[in-house]
Amino acid sequence: MSEIKNICIIGGCGHVGIPLGLALAKVGYNVTLIDINDDAVKTINSGKLPFVEEGADELLKTYIGKNLIASSDIQKVKDQDTVIFVTGTPVDEHHNPEIKAVIKVINAYIPLMNKEQLVILRSTIYPGTTEVISSLFKNKLGGSNVAFCPERILQGKGIEEIFTLPQIVSSENDKSYQAAASIFSKISPKIIRLKTREAELVKLITNTWRYLQFAAANAFYMMVENDGLDFYKIYDAITDDYPRAKNFPKAGLAAGPCLFKDTMQLAAFYQNNFFLGQSAMLVNEGLPNFLVNQLEKKIGNLAGKNIVILGMTFKANNDDTRESLSFKIRKLLEFKMANVVTHDPYIPSSPPLNDVLKNAEGIILGTPHNEYKEIPLKVPYVDCWDFWTRSK
């Protein structure tokens, strides 16, 4: 495998591809972000980001048009030393992993590739997928240099974390491991080598662990609040200068594109015997119902009432709405025949906040954006985050 200079990222204009592409451009690689989303390609080539990512704007303006470009031309794959795929494994309506979705993307690009190229799988994949894809390249190209190097960055903080977190590198052979390690050693302070299936499980277990933590907090929250007590008075007593509770998370809507999906993948990996993960899903997915019921206890029958949901993205101070549970809250309220109005400062189509609050008869805080800290609370509300109490 010759010296690596040119790297392309398939699906590169998304939340995984852009931070990685910017980091690789910063350390001197020629990077092409290949994406079928023409609007995202145009936005990036104009020097702008299609979503919020701290620290990315300055890097994009520095390297775009120099050693970083975005393109929808898949033929550019032919000119690359390294091809990075950021396609993750989705789950179907029955919570089973759809490995075929990943294979379909790989198969679309194999005719443009050669056996000497390094292939890096970057996003979350089901255990054993790297092995399957490596065999696919051997059968169709006569050789395989496939590595799995999972991303572990926090969305919105990717630029900061990609340069500070250890990078896990795994491969089916030493040659592709050395090549992948040489790339990531330029942007990461430490390389951790694992077998491919070990690395695949690292990513799934990491996300599942977070999902379990949130589920524990949400279960305690619902248990206490259902009895008419203040969960956060108890929470404060537990965590106040008590070292063994320093990582006790607050309650909140556990959503986004990864945590639920990866927990279900891990459950499938364990032949659906991962009862802890499945129980966590029931708790986290059940929280929206609890919040709607809490508001109903405060104001009575919701039919015909003007109810406002503040925050529709899946995390605070971000513009990503993927898998946000605020949309589930909206459906539940609509089922109870409430007049539902939603607002989010990171969604351009949202109406003015003052107009939304003017006729509100009840509020549910979906996402604790900073923009909501100082709003006047003149009607009954539900805030599982303890956001307004602390902000005031």
Side-chain angles (χ1 to χ4, degrees), residues 124 202-211 258-259 262-263:
T124 311
V202 161
K203 176 66 174 174
L204 292 178
I205 290 174
T206 298
N207 282 345
T208 299
W209 170 241
R210 293 188 67 218
Y211 196 65
C258 295
L259 302 187
D262 291 354
T263 302

Side-chain angles (χ1 to χ4, degrees), residues 22-231:
L22 291 172
L24 293 173
K26 184 178 180 180
V27 297
Y29 289 107
N30 299 316
V31 180
T32 303
L33 306 175
I34 296 179
D35 206 295
I36 60 174
N37 186 334
D38 287 328
D39 290 337
V41 167
K42 291 176 183 177
T43 299
I44 291 169
N45 283 330
S46 70
K48 298 178 181 178
L49 290 169
F51 49 78
V52 175
E53 183 70 42
E54 291 182 21
D57 292 278
E58 185 177 344
L59 288 178
L60 182 61
K61 291 174 182 175
T62 301
Y63 298 105
I64 195 67
K66 297 174 184 176
N67 62 330
L68 174 70
I69 63 166
S71 175
S72 56
D73 181 8
I74 66 173
Q75 296 293 325
K76 291 185 180 293
V77 170
K78 296 178 180 179
D79 306 322
Q80 310 300 318
D81 305 311
T82 298
V83 181
I84 301 176
F85 290 90
V86 298
T87 306
T89 307
V91 293
D92 63 18
E93 67 275 19
H94 304 295
H95 303 157
N96 296 313
E98 292 191 294
I99 300 175
K100 288 183 178 180
V102 181
I103 302 300
K104 181 178 180 181
V105 174
I106 301 292
N107 276 328
Y109 285 91
I110 282 182
L112 305 172
M113 299 175 65
N114 64 76
K115 66 180 181 179
E116 296 303 320
Q117 290 173 314
L118 172 66
V119 175
I120 296 177
L121 308 177
R122 183 68 174 158
S123 196
T124 311
I125 54 178
Y126 186 73
T129 303
T130 304
E131 198 175 333
V132 171
I133 291 174
S134 182
S135 297
L136 194 64
F137 276 93
K138 288 176 184 176
N139 293 336
K140 295 198 173 185
L141 296 180
S144 172
N145 294 298
V146 177
F148 176 59
C149 309
E151 61 84 17
R152 297 194 293 164
I153 56 175
L154 182 66
Q155 187 174 323
K157 302 283 185 181
I159 298 300
E160 174 188 342
E161 292 196 342
I162 203 166
F163 288 105
T164 58
L165 294 179
Q167 174 62 55
I168 293 170
V169 177
S170 67
S171 178
E172 294 292 298
N173 58 61
D174 285 337
K175 185 169 111 173
S176 48
Y177 165 75
Q178 295 295 340
S182 71
I183 293 173
F184 285 104
S185 63
K186 293 184 179 181
I187 61 176
S188 177
K190 180 193 292 186
I191 301 296
I192 300 173
R193 184 173 188 176
L194 293 176
K195 297 177 182 178
T196 55
R197 190 164 294 210
E198 292 170 339
E200 290 163 342
L201 283 168
V202 161
K203 176 66 174 174
L204 292 178
I205 290 174
T206 298
N207 282 345
T208 299
W209 170 241
R210 293 188 67 218
Y211 196 65
L212 293 174
Q213 288 179 302
F214 296 146
N218 287 335
F220 291 138
Y221 170 81
M222 289 187 279
M223 179 192 303
V224 172
E225 294 285 330
N226 187 64
D227 199 51
L229 300 174
D230 186 341
F231 168 75

